Amino acid sequence: MRLDRQIRKKKKVSSLKKKLKRKQEKEAKKDLQEKAGLFNKLGEECLVCQKDFDKKNKEMVMSWSVIVKEDTVRLYCPECWDRANNLIKEIKDGYTNTKDDV
Ligand SMILES: [Zn+2]
């Protein structure tokens, strides 16, 4: 009974949902296109150590860091990313002179 009612309710708002769905699909498509465009812009190697980056390697894609600034895409391998972050942290710590922040 409950399930039946839910189905009927769904039918009632289906036109609105369809509209919404179409909008979402459009946005998703746009998002995907943007991401794909970005992906094409990706370099083939780490910006710092020139280590090869394999776009088809899911693990690599997940672990490498991509920094997008306006139209520039920077690619960092995990090692260089860690090093860069440590450097940033050191600089920050030096500037703010915070103590006991280990
Ligand atoms: Zn690197």
Side-chain angles (χ1 to χ4, degrees), residues 24-41:
Q24 278 172 341
E25 269 171 11
K26 221 176 171 183
E27 268 164 23
K29 222 179 191 176
K30 203 182 146 206
D31 191 50
L32 202 75
Q33 272 174 347
E34 259 175 25
K35 271 186 188 146
L38 211 66
F39 218 62
N40 286 334
K41 263 188 212 166

Side-chain angles (χ1 to χ4, degrees), residues 46 48-49 77 80:
C46 169
V48 183
C49 69
C77 73
C80 293

